[in-house]
Amino acid sequence: MKSLEVEQRQVVVIGAGPSGAIASALLKRNGHDVLVLERQRFPRFSIGESLLSHCLDFVEEAGMLEAVQAAGFQTKHGAAFASGERYTEFDFRDKFTAGKGSTYQVQRAHFDQVLADEAARQGVEVRYEEEIFAADFSAARPRLSVRRLADGHEYQVECGFVLDGSGYGRVLPRLLDLELPSDFPVRRAVFTHIEDRIDHPAFDREKILITTHPEMRDVWFWTIPFSNGRCSLGVVADAKRYQGRDVDLEACLKQFVAEAPSLARVLENAVWDTPVREINGYSANVKALQGPGFALLGNAAEFLDPVFSSGVTIAMRSASMAAGLLHRQLSGEAVDWENEFAIPLKRGVDTFRVYVEGWYDGSFQDVIYYEKASDDIRRMICSILAGYAWDEKNPYVAEPRRRLRVLAELCAQG
Ligand code: FAD
């Protein structure tokens, strides 16, 4: 690295998304010096608009709940699923694990800004439009190279620890050669915001609606209503399912919606007023979640799949765990990052993984619509859908693979 001015800090957090905002605020609340470096100017668009109730536990821990409650987001109480004429819903207020029963559906530009502003209000220094482009972990104190985007000025920061909350930027996985391909197939999401004008009597604005394509069970749609009469709408399908379809993204999304009559009915009055976007091959993995001088948070580490809206919850859970451990380390305690961070974090992520796999092979979809499931079983499944995937008291968390298999066999018997 060429010689540049070197700033000295205690902790640097890469990215001011949900993981970075929560981690930095939690560290600051424990009296540590934290610098957040964020490449973009906020507010900025981000996908991931339907939250799970568990993520509000971390918003509360970081002292940001009041600000989020005051922001006017759409309340969310659960998830509804539709497939052909089948419909079922899970209400987060009626679940196995104690914890929050409600959450929000949020425009992420606004939500992320609320969190980052709250972190700043609590004393965290957040620098926007500053990008990390190189990292050197060979010495005892890691050194990051930063570029100020406004004028190209470059400088370095040396610190005691780096938390990487860079999301799809995947800064340290790229710079430290930690990237690992996901073992999920390449899936593509095509999505937009619409003025929804929904007047369908069965539609519940306080739930995300997940609709399965009637002929292709691995293709599904999200409908996430906001509090301002608008909705986020998207389709997710294996990249191969797009072959032969219109290359124009709006036409492509409209065609998919037209193929799902129950969804087309819900959206029949919608005004399509926003450019349609896409994300291709969103799943990602890493070789390690931590190493000397760093830990990876949220999407910078692993991203499974959007189907259960778990991304922000995992991001915040990883932020809370890492901030707690780093506080102990900075207070002079020895911390075993693999056993206290990586392994327990992955346990919950792996629980979600089982149900994501079950969603795409159809077994978990059968379970979701299974009419004979007892109330207790539905409450246990509801806990996972609400984000409580680390609650080992829940048998569907403790033994997800075996439990799902047994239930799927029961469903198959009718
Ligand atoms: P991000 O929110 O991505 O924030 C990372 C920040 O780091 C960004 O602001 C970025 O600008 C900054 N950054 C990147 N590179 C650099 C750099 N070099 N230097 C400085 N800063 C940098 N999750 C849900 O919970 N609910 C959903 O409904 C949902 N739907 C989804 C739908 C799709 C199609 C996809 C692909 C994902 C979805 N997710 C959803 C997942 C969700 O988007 C992410 O899990 C979540 O945003 C992760 O938060 P984060 O803080 O880790 O990263």
Side-chain angles (χ1 to χ4, degrees):
M1 277 179 190
K2 56 185 170 176
S3 109
L4 299 169
E5 60 182 280
V6 183
E7 186 177 339
Q8 299 294 329
R9 304 297 293 238
Q10 199 169 23
V11 180
V12 173
V13 176
I14 310 175
S19 60
I22 296 286
S24 60
L26 290 174
L27 284 162
K28 188 70 199 173
R29 289 165 82 80
N30 273 317
H32 304 293
D33 162 60
V34 199
L35 171 64
V36 178
L37 296 167
E38 165 55 54
R39 180 169 63 182
Q40 297 185 69
R41 180 201 291 261
F42 277 26
R44 54 94 179 92
F45 178 84
S46 176
I47 194 67
E49 297 147 322
S50 184
L51 304 181
L52 304 184
S53 36
H54 189 30
C55 86
L56 290 193
D57 293 321
F58 309 112
V59 171
E60 187 168 36
E61 185 190 2
M64 301 177 179
L65 191 55
E66 270 182 31
V68 168
Q69 284 167 338
F73 296 120
Q74 171 67 51
T75 304
K76 172 184 173 185
H77 291 309
F81 296 86
S83 174
E85 293 311 310
R86 291 191 298 179
Y87 177 89
T88 189
E89 50 184 38
F90 291 81
D91 191 315
F92 295 164
R93 291 165 294 190
D94 186 17
K95 63 183 180 321
F96 173 84
T97 306
K100 297 207 163 16
S102 305
T103 184
Y104 295 102
Q105 287 161 170
V106 300
Q107 294 89 336
R108 283 285 301 279
H110 185 194
F111 180 71
D112 289 13
Q113 172 136 48
V114 169
L115 300 185
D117 286 353
E118 278 300 294
R121 195 185 55 77
Q122 295 183 32
V124 172
E125 184 182 353
V126 186
R127 291 185 195 153
Y128 292 96
E129 297 186 275
E130 302 215 357
E131 176 182 53
I132 287 164
F133 64 92
D136 180 358
F137 282 76
S138 58
R141 281 171 67 78
R143 206 180 253 213
L144 301 174
S145 299
V146 188
R147 187 178 298 119
R148 203 160 59 204
L149 298 179
D151 57 8
H153 172 73
E154 292 180 4
Y155 64 98
Q156 294 186 333
V157 189
E158 207 173 79
C159 61
F161 206 90
V162 179
L163 291 176
D164 184 359
S166 63
Y168 306 108
R170 300 174 64 72
V171 172
L172 293 188
R174 276 190 295 107
L175 297 176
L176 303 181
D177 190 24
L178 298 173
E179 288 196 289
L180 207 61
S182 164
D183 38 19
F184 283 133
V186 176
R187 296 198 174 93
R188 180 175 169 206
V190 175
F191 51 92
T192 189
H193 285 180
I194 50 176
E195 186 186 316
D196 61 73
R197 300 191 181 181
I198 296 172
D199 57 9
H200 194 283
F203 189 76
D204 181 354
R205 296 197 77 86
E206 295 189 333
K207 292 191 175 72
I208 183 176
L209 171 64
I210 303 288
T211 308
T212 306
H213 190 287
E215 271 100 47
M216 298 175 272
R217 286 188 93 191
D218 59 320
V219 177
W220 61 275
F221 305 84
W222 76 73
T223 313
I224 303 174
F226 299 127
S227 56
N228 60 357
R230 301 181 63 77
C231 246
S232 173
L233 168 70
V235 65
V236 176
D238 193 304
K240 294 191 208 95
R241 298 275 194 206
Y242 290 86
Q243 283 164 13
R245 288 180 181 269
D246 208 313
V247 288
D248 176 75
L249 292 178
E250 182 171 323
C252 173
L253 181 54
K254 282 181 166 164
Q255 186 189 356
F256 267 117
V257 170
E259 291 166 14
S262 73
L263 182 61
R265 271 198 305 278
V266 166
L267 298 178
E268 63 191 359
N269 301 319
V271 178
W272 295 60
D273 56 6
T274 307
V276 178
R277 303 173 185 233
E278 64 173 325
I279 298 184
N280 203 357
Y282 47 69
S283 300
N285 207 345
V286 281
K287 294 175 196 159
L289 289 176
Q290 54 82 30
F294 72 90
L296 307 180
L297 309 178
N299 268 31
E302 181 171 6
F303 181 65
L304 298 172
D305 192 88
V307 66
F308 302 126
S309 310
S310 56
V312 171
T313 298
I314 294 171
M316 290 189 178
R317 173 119 194 166
S318 64
S320 165
M321 290 171 72
L325 290 172
L326 190 49
H327 169 55
R328 278 178 38 206
Q329 183 165 306
L330 295 170
S331 312
E333 272 185 56
V335 169
D336 177 347
W337 282 89
E338 188 58 24
N339 281 306
E340 297 182 75
F341 175 71
I343 291 174
L345 178 64
K346 270 189 88 66
R347 216 169 280 141
V349 175
D350 286 342
T351 300
F352 280 122
R353 182 192 316 281
V354 171
Y355 294 99
V356 168
E357 285 169 3
W359 175 267
Y360 285 103
D361 71 24
S363 59
F364 191 49
Q365 294 189 36
D366 292 340
V367 165
I368 280 176
Y369 293 107
Y370 186 46
E371 285 169 1
K372 295 183 199 156
S374 71
D375 289 347
D376 282 347
I377 289 178
R378 282 183 66 84
R379 277 191 203 101
M380 290 170 190
I381 289 168
C382 187
S383 280
I384 296 163
L385 296 176
Y388 291 93
W390 289 264
D391 175 14
E392 300 272 340
K393 289 197 275 320
N394 182 347
Y396 286 81
V397 170
E399 293 183 299
R401 217 167 276 285
R402 190 180 76 78
R403 292 277 175 175
L404 178 57
R405 196 183 56 240
V406 170
L407 257 192
E409 281 165 11
L410 271 178
C411 295
Q413 288 161 18

